[in-house]
Each structure stands twice: as structure tokens, then as C-alpha cells.
Amino acid sequence: NSGPVFAGCPSNITVDADASCQAVVNWTAPTISDNCGGILTLTVSKNPGTVFGLGNTVVTYTATDAVGNTSTCFFNVQVRDNTKPVITGCPSNITVEATGGCQAIVNWTAPTVSDNCGGLLTLATTKNPGTVFILGTTAVTYTATDATGNTSTCSFNVTVEDNTNPVITACPSDITVNANGTC
């Protein structure tokens, strides 16, 4: 006697995680038949419409006929994180007056980062608060990267201006002279 026969075993399924880093996944269950008929039982490791966490889960259907012969059907459900991390509190553009040396030390509050799947998050920047900036405009960019490599960026400009009038030193006092013979 042979085991039960599956028809319509689902193919592998790949879905994107939701805001809670999981996904409700649906599929059409396979059907089973047996050459001897009789009572067939079908068990499944996870039902359609249930929540799957991030990563790969093997779903297995097992069919058993009346005499104990079994067959299995399995497929993978892959839940992947394609959601970029969120950067909040990105500074607005900053304009400051240059100090001596035609430069300025500029401070700001760094932004924060969050992600739907949590885990390891990195926040890199092209310039840190408290850095010396020279005259002109410099773009500062923050890049957030989550555990699966999704990235987000935020940028702002730091402009250092020189609005200070020049200072003249050692300016001579008024000079009075007598005209010579040719006026």
C-alpha cells in the first residue's frame, strides 16, 4: 500500500514584514487522496492566516491514511525586512558667524533612529557635533542602517559666514602740514 498523495502543495512564499516585523501569510491548503480510500488525517505545522516572524519558516503538511502510511508536503515561508529605519530629529540648516581664524565650532543635537524590526541599528555621520567648520556651506549627512542592511539618510547644511567688518589698526592721527612755496 502506498501513502496518501498530495495535490496542490504550495510553492515557497516570500513576503515583506509589516510595521511589527512580522506578516500574516495565507495560502491554499493542499488536498490529499489515497489509493485505498478510507479515513485520511492531515496535520500542518502552521495554518494559513497565521503570523510568521522575520526569517524562514518551513511549513509541513503530513497526511496519514487508515493503515498508517504517511506522506509529507512542505514549503518555505520567507518573511523579509524591507522597511527602512526611521530617522527623527534631523537638524534644520544651521548658519553661524565665523570666529577668529574664519571658522566656527558648531554643535547640534544628533537625530535618533528606530526600526520596525529593532535589532542592531547604526547611525553614521559625515561630521559630528562640536566639529570645526570652515567658511562656506558644508552638507552634513546622517545614514541609519538596520540589521538587514536597509538604509535611510537625512541631511542638513552648516553655513559659516563672515559678517564681521575688518578692523583697521595703527591708523595714523590727523596730520597738518604747511604748504611749500608752490602751494
Side-chain angles (χ1 to χ4, degrees):
N1 188 12
S2 61
V5 176
F6 279 96
C9 188
S11 299
N12 292 338
I13 300 171
T14 300
V15 296
D16 291 336
D18 62 16
S20 300
C21 199
Q22 58 191 14
V24 174
V25 182
N26 287 292
W27 62 86
T28 301
T31 58
I32 54 173
S33 61
D34 189 60
N35 62 340
C36 292
I39 298 174
L40 296 171
T41 59
L42 181 64
T43 60
V44 63
S45 61
K46 227 159 154 80
N47 288 306
T50 57
V51 174
F52 285 76
L54 194 65
N56 188 61
T57 303
V58 177
V59 177
T60 305
Y61 280 91
T62 304
T64 307
D65 65 15
V67 294
N69 295 314
T70 61
S71 295
T72 58
C73 146
F74 63 91
F75 60 97
N76 295 304
V77 173
Q78 177 74 39
V79 178
R80 61 184 176 197
D81 176 16
N82 283 333
T83 303
K84 295 178 178 185
V86 176
I87 299 174
T88 53
C90 192
S92 299
N93 292 337
I94 299 170
T95 301
V96 296
E97 178 67 22
T99 59
C102 293
Q103 60 190 18
I105 295 174
V106 183
N107 286 292
W108 61 87
T109 300
T112 59
V113 63
S114 61
D115 189 61
N116 66 322
C117 290
L120 178 65
L121 292 168
T122 60
L123 185 62
T125 183
T126 55
K127 289 268 198 180
N128 288 306
T131 302
V132 173
F133 287 79
I134 60 171
L135 282 178
T137 300
T138 303
V140 177
T141 302
Y142 279 91
T143 303
T145 306
D146 70 12
T148 57
N150 298 310
T151 61
S152 293
T153 60
C154 86
S155 296
F156 61 97
N157 291 321
V158 173
T159 302
V160 178
E161 296 178 338
D162 178 9
N163 293 320
T164 304
N165 292 327
V167 176
I168 299 173
T169 58
C171 184
S173 300
D174 291 343
I175 301 171
T176 303
V177 294
N178 293 325
N180 62 17
T182 59
C183 288

